[in-house]
Amino acid sequence: MVNRPRRSVYVPQDIEPKWQKVWAERGVMKARDDSPKPKYYDLVMYPYPSGDLTVGHARNYVMGDVLARMKRMQGFEVLHPFGWDAFGLPAENAAMKRGNLHPESWTLGNIAKGTRELKMMGILYDWDREVTSCLPDYYRWTQWLFLLMLERGLAYRAMAPVNWCPVDKTVLANEQVINGRCWRHPDVEVEKRDLEQWFLKITDYADRLLDDLALLDRWPHKVRVMQTNWIGRSKGAEVDFEVEGLGGETVRIYTTRPDTLFGATFMVLAPEHPLVERITTEKHRERVREYVEKARKETEIERLSTERVKSGVATGGFAINPVNGERIPIWVADYVLMTYGTGAIMAVPAHDERDFEFATTYHLPIREVIAPPGGEQGELREAYTGPGLMVNSGDFVGLDAAAGIEKVTAWLEARGKGKPAVKYRLRDWLISRQRYWGAPIPVVYCPVDGIVPVPAEQLPVLLPKEYRPLPDVPEFWRATCPRCGGEARRETDTMDTFIDSSWYFLRYASPHDQTQAFDPELANHWMPVDQYTGGVEHAILHLLYSRFFTKVLHDAGLLNVSEPFKRLFNQGMVKRFGQVMSKSLGNGVSPEELVAAQGADAGRIYEMFIGPPEEDVEWSDAGLNGVVRFLQRVWRLVLEPESIAEDGSGPDGGADVAVLRRKVAQTVGRVTEQNEELRFNTAVAALMELANSMQDYLQGGGSRDADWDAAVRTLVKLLNPMAPHICEEMWERLGESGMLADASWPEFDAAAAAELKLVLVVQVAGKLRDRLSVEAGLSEADALTAALASEKVRAALNGHGPSKVIYVQDRLINLVP
RNA sequence: GUCGGCGUGGCGGAAUGGCAGACGCGCCAGCCUUAGGAGCUGGUGCCCGAAAGGGCGUGGAGGUUCAAAUCCUCUCGCCGACACCA
């Protein structure tokens, strides 16, 4: 019988709950406001508590947790908070589905469940700072921020066309309108209604929101591009065209190409343009009215489709082109939008694709005024939008089109017929929602005083206990005017939930403050967020709104920063069977199942190892087994190295202590750097390599001396952020005093790094020298001199982190036979 | 259509312009086991070859460089965002 050493097997379920309890008791992740240590604010986007938490969502939180734990070990005072974006439609839908369920109890139930699952995964937050946006403690301050906006002239009420379902008696979101019909009543057509709604004037901040994107150099390029396009700043000119027969009255158009003004052969107004009625002649009245009516009925989606053929009608009216006095016909067409520019354009079919298409359809003249460089003029088959010289353009002929833009604009300005103008695609933010489950907008309407804000000291405006549409709850909307004390009606709309999420990251700084939304001193201490992690689906809305709020609060003197998130990361999604994991699709794996099957640590490492963090990944149980094997091996390496040593003879030279030492140093550098850059998949690979090297060392007959000991301790520390439970357990069994959470992160030796840099120079230069002497016939000495002088060699050494230098050096050393 | 991103083994993926395929999965062979979907050892880009060895290789075509998966130009294919914004 073989006498095997008895192995103590690592059973995650035996140790994980124990350590989770210890961390909670010791308050390991409590952030101290008065700590002398440098701060690190590690934030994950707070989720909607849908009750559907899968390992897919957990991946995001594990990333944040790994970073938080590493930063803590590195000596930072880490703020790693969590909260819930708890207002919103799904809660109301769930409540409606199940008669007597209140949105609040549904929401709070999901929160309790989610909290448990996060803790089960070993994810540590400072739960004392938990924020829940649907609780009065929080939405009181959401309301206060609305008042601040109002006070600063950034909140206003205006008419807006909205989608209205006559059966549900509520406004619908654009996504809830399908083919012009209500999503819940496929036979009911949605009406367009003009309703008074509340808006926030985000357009006031368009320039700063755009310009400051340049400061966000640690944001994904993609997100910055998306925001740039969304804001959509364009520069051009507004030009006034006199309307024939209207007594000198003018129509103002906007164009980005004033250089093509001589090519304007007609004008187009949006159907909603206020002058349509007056410009239209008697003869055309009926047809224009019909067309405008039809356009009004169309949904945005239909109207904005580029697929369809352009349509329009002539008004019978004419405008006078200010540059040449030419009479051009005025048309109405729905490809011109009232919501952009001035709602009117000059049509230059020769140099604008849309105008070209329209002119072709209705046989309107096309006049070329920009000649392509070197190209001959002739029949245009499509609009030419490139550069060129101005032709057929009066005194401007021969000018370069780019220069023409300025010259023509100046010419117009001098005569009071136009001026430079900047336009944005960005619209003001409509924040009114005809919903129960949101923060009530804190204003009342008084017959005497008009719109009156609820005084800050009377906040919060509480939601009624009973779940019913707010306009149906008289005890809610009956109010007294704070100004005159007379009878008034309370606003029954609630706020868009994106308002809640535009400032939650500030509440974490002082979550229990009963006197203000946040303590400016504490907010200034913790802000900006050093690392913000969340889904790319928020690339525009949430991130733009949060930036807007931050700038407003900065202007109000309440915040020092004007950008909230220093570094942004968008993680990929976890899929299973080709689809994004979700409980409703039945392909979700819950943290609970995962922990029961393979343990939290294996799950955490797998989530990090499964693929690049920014990529979508496919969950597989086979892959999970691989990391379980890895953890088992680490366990034996650390606690029972003798059992590994007996397992076989490793490669020759496997016991080289210098190799082991170098591997340890290299791994410290790689894991530090790659965790910092959130490249967790390669950090795990580096740890696996270290374990492999340690195994080779043991099996090659290496002695378990001080070097071995150092390797073991380094491995445990480096692995700790990813697999904290097993590392705590091993640390304790190694007889170390003190919790691993208090242990320091292994330092990278700067002197060693410098030395290695030198080795790298020699290696790279040596390679180059060899080539030069063979291929250019230089003597060895000359070749070496040339090689060392080479820019490439010098450049090769600049700006690289220690781990990369070691890595390259490692690879190059092996080149030498 | 416009903008952005990505194309590397059977698979997920590694590679400061410097050995392409780290690490893992899977697979093959062997060991150990009463047994194994456990553990251990070795192998595993493709082609030729018994082996030694040789040839080919990062979607395709050019280019820059002593050196290209990486930089440049064109092209093909996927993915994402925006989409009549004048």
Side-chain angles (χ1 to χ4, degrees), chain A residues 405-424:
Chain A
I405 291 177
E406 253 175 70
K407 294 275 189 215
V408 173
T409 307
W411 187 94
L412 290 164
E413 199 168 15
R415 286 156 186 77
K417 291 178 174 176
K419 59 177 185 203
V422 177
K423 299 288 176 194
Y424 304 88

Side-chain angles (χ1 to χ4, degrees), chain A residues 759-775 783-784 787-788 793 811-816:
Chain A
V759 175
L760 178 68
V761 179
V762 173
Q763 291 295 331
V764 174
K767 192 122 196 274
L768 185 49
R769 177 203 60 192
D770 292 348
R771 281 199 198 231
L772 285 175
S773 67
V774 172
E775 286 163 24
L784 182 60
L788 286 173
V793 169
R811 292 172 59 157
L812 287 173
I813 278 177
N814 294 336
L815 270 180
V816 182

Side-chain angles (χ1 to χ4, degrees), chain A residues 346-393:
Chain A
M346 64 167 190
V348 184
H351 306 291
D352 182 282
E353 282 163 32
R354 295 148 305 183
D355 298 345
F356 185 88
E357 192 192 326
F358 193 81
T360 312
T361 306
Y362 292 99
H363 307 292
L364 292 157
I366 297 169
R367 186 192 308 139
E368 191 176 9
V369 291
I370 304 293
E376 66 267 34
Q377 283 175 253
E379 189 76 355
L380 281 172
R381 311 196 123 232
E382 56 180 10
Y384 176 73
T385 55
L389 297 181
M390 293 175 70
V391 294
N392 298 327
S393 296

Side-chain angles (χ1 to χ4, degrees), chain A residues 193-239:
Chain A
R193 282 201 180 180
D194 286 325
L195 285 182
E196 285 248 320
Q197 303 280 289
W198 281 98
F199 290 84
L200 293 189
K201 234 179 190 171
I202 192 171
T203 51
D204 270 12
Y205 284 75
D207 273 320
R208 281 164 67 190
L209 288 169
L210 185 66
D211 295 340
D212 286 357
L213 284 173
L215 306 174
L216 303 175
D217 58 337
R218 298 304 311 263
W219 279 39
H221 175 65
K222 180 184 173 180
V223 173
R224 289 193 286 165
V225 169
M226 282 168 75
Q227 293 215 355
T228 303
N229 294 339
W230 188 262
I231 295 166
R233 178 161 67 191
S234 85
K235 287 180 183 166
E238 287 180 345
V239 187

Side-chain angles (χ1 to χ4, degrees), chain A residues 5 30 359 433 663 670 688:
Chain A
K30 266 193 205 345
R433 294 292 180 271
K663 194 72 193 175
R670 281 173 72 182
M688 287 174 166

Side-chain angles (χ1 to χ4, degrees), chain A residues 70 80 130 141 182 211 229 363 482 491 515 555 558 604 691 693 709 745 790:
Chain A
M70 180 177 82
H80 190 220
E130 181 178 9
W141 302 113
C182 173
D211 295 340
N229 294 339
H363 307 292
E491 169 67 82
T515 63
D555 291 353
L558 296 170
R604 290 167 63 104
S693 294
D709 225 50
W745 190 253
S790 143

